[in-house]
């Protein structure tokens, strides 16, 4: 019984923790996203201005439109898809934010499969 009494205040404190969500800070700016493919680190740089995103990856630039669903969620759609895979929209959801970065979850619209990543604001 003493253990339960000790755990209750601890659980109460943990349940009060709220992840930071300053998503509006990331609607505009220049960002960097690093990820790994087959053990090789890759970097993409993109600039977002409200409803447009311009991405540069391995020397190639592409433009996508953004439709904001809420302050922390948007749908990304390539403006000039080069194949059927690029025609599919991607749902992006910002999960947590910090001063200069955010953690997000993304996946094809309509798909249950999601991946996570972290983006850093560079300007």
């Amino acid at each position: 019984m003493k253990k339960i009494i000790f755990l209750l205040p601890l659980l109460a404190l943990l349940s009060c923790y709220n992840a930071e969500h300053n998503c509006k800070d990331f609607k505009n700016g220049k960002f960097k996203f690093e990820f790994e493919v087959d053990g090789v680190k890759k970097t993409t740089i993109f600039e977002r201005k409200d409803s447009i995103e311009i991405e540069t990856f391995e020397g190639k630039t592409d433009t996508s439109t953004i439709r904001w669903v809420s302050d922390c969620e948007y749908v990304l759609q390539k403006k000039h898809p080069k194949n059927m895979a690029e025609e599919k929209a991607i749902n992006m959801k910002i999960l947590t934010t910090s001063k200069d970065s955010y953690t997000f979850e993304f996946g094809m619209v309509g798909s249950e499969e999601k991946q996570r990543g972290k983006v850093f604001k560079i300007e």
Side-chain angles (χ1 to χ4, degrees), residues 35-49:
F35 56 100
E36 208 171 285
V37 177
D38 297 327
V40 178
K41 188 176 179 180
K42 306 272 185 173
T43 302
T44 185
I45 304 291
F46 60 95
E47 190 165 355
R48 185 182 304 134
K49 291 182 182 177

Side-chain angles (χ1 to χ4, degrees), residues 45-61:
I45 304 291
F46 60 95
E47 190 165 355
R48 185 182 304 134
K49 291 182 182 177
D50 293 318
S51 62
I52 201 90
E53 185 171 291
I54 301 168
E55 173 186 355
T56 303
F57 177 67
E58 295 184 336
K60 297 177 184 171
T61 301

Side-chain angles (χ1 to χ4, degrees), residues 68-83:
W68 288 94
V69 178
S70 69
D71 284 340
C72 294
E73 190 170 358
Y74 61 95
V75 176
L76 199 61
Q77 181 75 55
K78 295 242 186 217
K79 284 188 88 168
H80 307 287
K82 294 170 185 67
N83 55 49

Side-chain angles (χ1 to χ4, degrees), residues 2-108:
K2 287 182 182 180
K3 289 181 183 177
I4 293 174
I5 292 172
F6 175 73
L7 286 176
L8 285 176
L10 183 63
L11 288 173
L13 283 174
L14 289 174
S15 67
C16 291
Y17 172 76
N18 221 354
E20 192 175 343
H21 283 89
N22 295 325
C23 301
K24 289 181 181 180
D25 295 345
F26 298 97
K27 281 193 171 186
N28 296 292
K30 194 170 186 177
F31 306 91
K32 174 174 72 170
F33 174 52
E34 296 177 332
F35 56 100
E36 208 171 285
V37 177
D38 297 327
V40 178
K41 188 176 179 180
K42 306 272 185 173
T43 302
T44 185
I45 304 291
F46 60 95
E47 190 165 355
R48 185 182 304 134
K49 291 182 182 177
D50 293 318
S51 62
I52 201 90
E53 185 171 291
I54 301 168
E55 173 186 355
T56 303
F57 177 67
E58 295 184 336
K60 297 177 184 171
T61 301
D62 210 346
T63 304
S64 299
T65 60
I66 298 172
R67 181 175 51 85
W68 288 94
V69 178
S70 69
D71 284 340
C72 294
E73 190 170 358
Y74 61 95
V75 176
L76 199 61
Q77 181 75 55
K78 295 242 186 217
K79 284 188 88 168
H80 307 287
K82 294 170 185 67
N83 55 49
M84 288 193 49
E86 289 186 359
E87 287 181 10
K88 296 180 181 178
I90 301 171
N91 187 63
M92 310 287 275
K93 185 175 185 180
I94 298 173
L95 303 173
T96 61
T97 64
S98 68
K99 180 183 171 201
D100 62 353
S101 69
Y102 65 87
T103 302
F104 70 104
E105 180 178 78
F106 66 100
M108 298 290 182

